């Protein structure tokens, strides 16, 4: 929501200062392309982190806030130790995804003592694919708008 307000203020200021609407639109598209590339970079980083993990079996234990995190996450018990999930816990499908005492396959990151559950792995894979597709589409749209053949 804040992004829409900021974009509107920038658009109105640019128009008041005499900027052409096409230039402002192109600047907005460039900003969105950069934002999508940053999101893609996050998912690449997560995928690289995911490749350095090992497969373990664990059980969902509880929800809580991991040390140094600003969000609630799921905690899993793996061989008598609790580890937080890398990503925030799902809110909408909570009862379907996090089933207590059900053994599930996890990816353990030994460097950070965190796990990737199936939900986190799916988020990384789909986020990687969707963010790169979106960025490429926006780049082609930008090139079409500015008239590059």
């Amino acid at each position: 929501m804040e992004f829409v307000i900021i974009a509107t203020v920038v658009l109105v200021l640019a128009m008041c200062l005499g900027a052409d609407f096409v230039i402002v639109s192109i600047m907005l598209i460039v900003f969105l392309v950069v934002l999508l590339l940053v999101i893609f970079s996050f998912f690449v980083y997560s995928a690289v982190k995911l490749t350095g993990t090992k497969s373990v079996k664990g059980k969902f234990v509880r929800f809580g806030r991991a040390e140094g995190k600003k969000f609630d996450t799921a905690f899993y018990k793996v061989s008598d130790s609790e580890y937080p999930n890398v990503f925030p816990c799902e809110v909408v499908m909570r009862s379907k995804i996090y089933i207590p005492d059900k053994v599930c396959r996890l990816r353990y990151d030994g460097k950070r003592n965190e796990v990737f559950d199936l939900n986190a792995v799916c988020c990384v894979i789909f986020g990687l694919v969707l963010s790169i597709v979106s960025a490429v589409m926006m780049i082609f749209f930008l090139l079409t708008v500015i008239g590059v053949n």
Side-chain angles (χ1 to χ4, degrees):
M1 185 65 182
E2 292 85 12
F3 172 74
V4 173
I5 294 170
I6 292 170
T8 304
V9 169
V10 169
L11 178 66
V12 169
L13 283 174
M15 297 300 281
C16 290
L17 294 173
D20 188 18
F21 183 72
V22 174
I23 299 293
V24 174
S25 300
I26 291 172
M27 287 176 23
L28 181 63
I29 293 170
V30 168
F31 174 74
L32 290 175
V33 167
V34 169
L35 185 65
L36 285 169
L37 290 174
V38 168
I39 292 170
F40 174 70
S41 300
F42 166 75
F43 284 116
V44 167
Y45 170 75
S46 297
V48 168
K49 236 172 76 166
L50 186 60
T51 59
T53 62
K54 66 177 185 175
S55 182
V56 295
K57 293 192 186 267
K59 292 182 182 182
F60 167 73
V61 180
R62 64 182 173 90
F63 296 108
R65 193 161 286 184
E67 188 175 315
K69 303 283 180 160
K70 296 179 181 179
F71 51 82
D72 284 342
T73 188
F75 281 81
Y76 291 91
K77 189 171 193 170
V78 178
S79 63
D80 298 332
S81 296
E82 280 189 14
Y83 300 107
N85 191 17
V86 175
F87 286 175
C89 60
E90 175 64 41
V91 178
V92 177
M93 300 279 293
R94 189 174 272 201
S95 63
K96 302 281 187 211
I97 295 175
Y98 307 107
I99 302 169
D101 297 326
K102 179 183 175 190
V103 176
C104 54
R105 296 182 70 190
L106 305 167
R107 304 293 303 178
Y108 174 66
D109 182 4
K111 294 177 185 172
R112 298 190 179 210
N113 285 329
E114 296 176 323
V115 294
F116 286 84
D117 62 3
L118 182 61
N119 186 40
V121 171
C122 289
C123 285
V124 169
I125 292 168
F126 289 124
L128 194 62
V129 171
L130 293 176
S131 63
I132 191 60
V133 168
S134 300
V136 168
M137 287 175 58
M138 286 299 286
I139 289 169
F140 281 130
F141 179 69
L142 177 64
L143 294 175
T144 303
V145 167
I146 60 175
V148 175
N149 290 328

